[in-house]
Amino acid sequence: MSTTVARDETVHEAPSARQQAVLDAVLALLVEEGDQLTMDAVARRASCSKETLYKWFGDRDGLLTATVRWQASRVHAGRDAVGALDAAALRDRLLDFAVTWLDVIAGRTSVVLNRIAIAHAGSRKGNLGAIVLANGRLAIGGRVKPVLEAGRAAGLLAFEDSETAFRTFFGLVGRDVQIRLLLGDALDLDAAEIRRDAARAVDQFLALYGQARP
Amino acid sequence: MSTTVARDETVHEAPSARQQAVLDAVLALLVEEGDQLTMDAVARRASCSKETLYKWFGDRDGLLTATVRWQASRVHAGRDAVGALDAAALRDRLLDFAVTWLDVIAGRTSVVLNRIAIAHAGSRKGNLGAIVLANGRLAIGGRVKPVLEAGRAAGLLAFEDSETAFRTFFGLVGRDVQIRLLLGDALDLDAAEIRRDAARAVDQFLALYGQARP
DNA sequence: GCCGCCGCGTACCGTACGGTACGGTACTGG
DNA sequence: CCAGTACCGTACCGTACGGTACGCGGCGGC
C-alpha cells in the first residue's frame, strides 16, 4: 500500500510567513465584519485560493483554530521570574497583570475571538473554547499564582489556596467587563480608565488578602 | 389603499399558552442540541407548522428574541422592597442575590441563551445581546443597588458610587464562572458549592465596603 | 530550454436551512 | 349547513456557503 504519500500538510506548529499573513487576514476580517466569516472572503482578502486554504488548514475549523493559536502566540510575550518580593514589588506585579489582562479582554480581537470560541463551544466538537480558555483565563492564572505564592512566602499575603485567591483577583479585575463586551455593550475603556480600574482592583485584593509583615 | 389589513401578529408582549409551549420547545432544543437550532426542528418539536412560526414570530430572530424574553420573564420573580436594614438583614439580602445570580448563570439555559446572544452580537443588527444584558447584568444591578444604598443610609456600608460598588460585588460573585461555562468548561457547581462561594463573596464585599455602625 | 510543483483565480457541486405555498382538518359563528 | 379562521403537515424554492476540480502563470532544478 501507500501508493501516494499523502503527507499531512495541515498547520500544527509554527505557521510560515505566508500562512501568518493569511491568519492576520482572518483576524482583520473577523474584527471588521463580525463573525460571518466565509472561506471565500478569507481567500479574497488574503489573495490566495480556497484550495490552498484547505490544503494548509484542513477545513474551516482548522483555520479558526490556527487563527486562535496564532493570536495567542503573540499575546503571551511576558517576562516573569519571581524573585524575592517586597510590598511595592508585589503591588507592581499584580498591577501589571491587571492592566495587561484588561487591555487584552477589552481589545476588539479578543472580543471577536472569544465570540467565535463561545459559539463553537455551543455546537460541540469544539476544542476552540478549550484553546481560548487555556490561553486566556488559565494562562493568566498560571502566571499570577506563583506571584501570589511568592507574596505569601514573603509574608505579604495570607491565603490557603492560591487558586481561590487568584479567582478573587480575577473577579475584582474583570468584573462585568468581559461579558458586557461579548454581549455587544459599547463600554470603551481608554488606557487611563484601565489603569484606574486595575489599581482599584489591586488595592481591593490587597485589602482582602494582604497582611502587614509580621 | 389598505385593501388588506395585514395586521401585525408577531409576538411583542405576553405570548399565549400555545406560544409559550413553542418557546419552551425552543429552550429545550437549545439545551439539548447546542445552538444549531433550525426552524424545522422547532416546528417538529413543538408540533406546529413552520408557517405558524413565521406568522407568530416574524422570522428566526424574532423567535429567538421572544425566547430570550420569555426566559427572562420567569427569572425575574423576586420580592424586593427595601426597608430599614440591620447588618444581618443586609448580609442576607446580598447573600440571596449572590446565590440567585450564581444559580442563574450556572444553569444550562442561561449558558445557551448567552451563547446565542453573544454570537448574535457578533453579526450586528443584534438587539439580542442588548436584551440579555438588560435582563441579566443590568437587571440584577438595578435590584442590588437600592439595597447597597439602603445599607449606606443605615451606616453599614461606605462607598461613593453605588454603580462602582455593585460592579465590585458582581466581580466577587461571578469571578471566572460565566466565561468558563460559556467557553465550554465543565465546572458544574452544586447547590452547596454555590452557597459557599456566594457567602465568601458577600463576606469579601462586606470586608471591603462594610463599616461598623458609628 | 523544458518539466514539475506551488499556488492563484475561478467555476463548480452538494447541501443545509431560512422562508413560502398549499392542501387538509377542526372549530366557531351565523 | 356553509363561510371563515386557525393551524398542522409537507412539499417546495432560493441561496449562501463549505468543500472540490481544473486551468494557468511563475519559479526552481536539470
Side-chain angles (χ1 to χ4, degrees), chain A residues 5 14 19 23 33 36 38 43 49 66 73-74 88 90 93 107-109 129-130 134 140 144 151 164-165 195 212:
Chain A
V5 184
Q19 289 170 341
L23 298 179
E33 303 294 335
Q36 65 285 53
T38 73
S49 75
S73 75
R74 20 165 73 146
L90 173 63
R93 297 298 294 271
R108 293 286 303 152
T109 307
I140 183 88
V144 170
T164 304
R195 273 203 78 79

Side-chain angles (χ1 to χ4, degrees), chain B residues 4-208:
Chain B
T4 60
V5 182
R7 197 151 96 59
D8 183 6
E9 294 209 62
T10 59
V11 173
H12 289 129
E13 296 298 327
S16 72
R18 183 73 180 94
Q19 290 169 341
Q20 289 176 15
V22 171
L23 298 179
D24 282 332
V26 173
L27 286 173
L29 273 176
L30 243 23
V31 168
E32 289 165 25
E33 304 294 334
D35 70 345
Q36 66 285 53
L37 178 89
T38 72
M39 299 300 275
D40 262 306
V42 172
R44 226 174 311 122
R45 174 66 161 254
S47 294
C48 70
S49 74
K50 278 170 66 174
E51 194 169 26
T52 303
L53 289 183
Y54 284 103
K55 185 171 173 188
W56 284 348
F57 303 103
D59 58 7
R60 190 172 181 275
D61 269 8
L63 177 60
L64 255 21
T65 303
T67 304
V68 168
R69 288 219 164 90
W70 167 234
Q71 174 64 13
S73 75
R74 19 166 72 145
V75 170
H76 276 332
R79 62 273 120 72
D80 279 351
V82 258
L85 285 176
D86 61 9
L90 173 62
R91 191 175 185 291
D92 278 357
R93 297 298 295 272
L94 293 180
L95 189 58
D96 188 50
F97 279 123
V99 169
T100 303
W101 182 240
L102 281 174
D103 266 335
V104 168
I105 66 174
R108 293 286 303 152
T109 307
S110 164
V111 171
V112 172
L113 252 26
N114 271 276
R115 284 205 185 116
I116 297 280
I118 286 170
H120 206 91
S123 43
R124 34 184 148 290
K125 83 158 179 244
N127 40 355
L128 254 195
I131 293 174
V132 168
L133 212 42
N135 290 287
R137 154 60 245 249
L138 266 41
I140 183 87
R143 290 176 61 202
V144 170
K145 281 191 282 184
V147 174
L148 298 183
E149 280 156 11
R152 178 173 59 181
L156 298 167
L157 296 175
F159 55 82
E160 303 223 331
D161 177 21
S162 65
E163 171 73 7
T164 305
F166 166 71
R167 292 181 73 194
T168 297
F169 182 66
F170 185 94
L172 285 169
V173 174
R175 300 187 299 178
D176 58 358
V177 172
Q178 195 163 21
I179 189 65
R180 284 172 71 174
L181 289 172
L182 288 174
L183 284 170
D185 200 348
L187 180 82
D188 49 3
L189 304 170
D190 57 10
E193 194 162 355
I194 283 182
R195 271 204 79 78
R196 245 192 343 269
D197 285 351
R200 188 198 33 69
V202 170
D203 287 342
Q204 289 177 325
F205 180 77
L206 291 175
L208 288 174

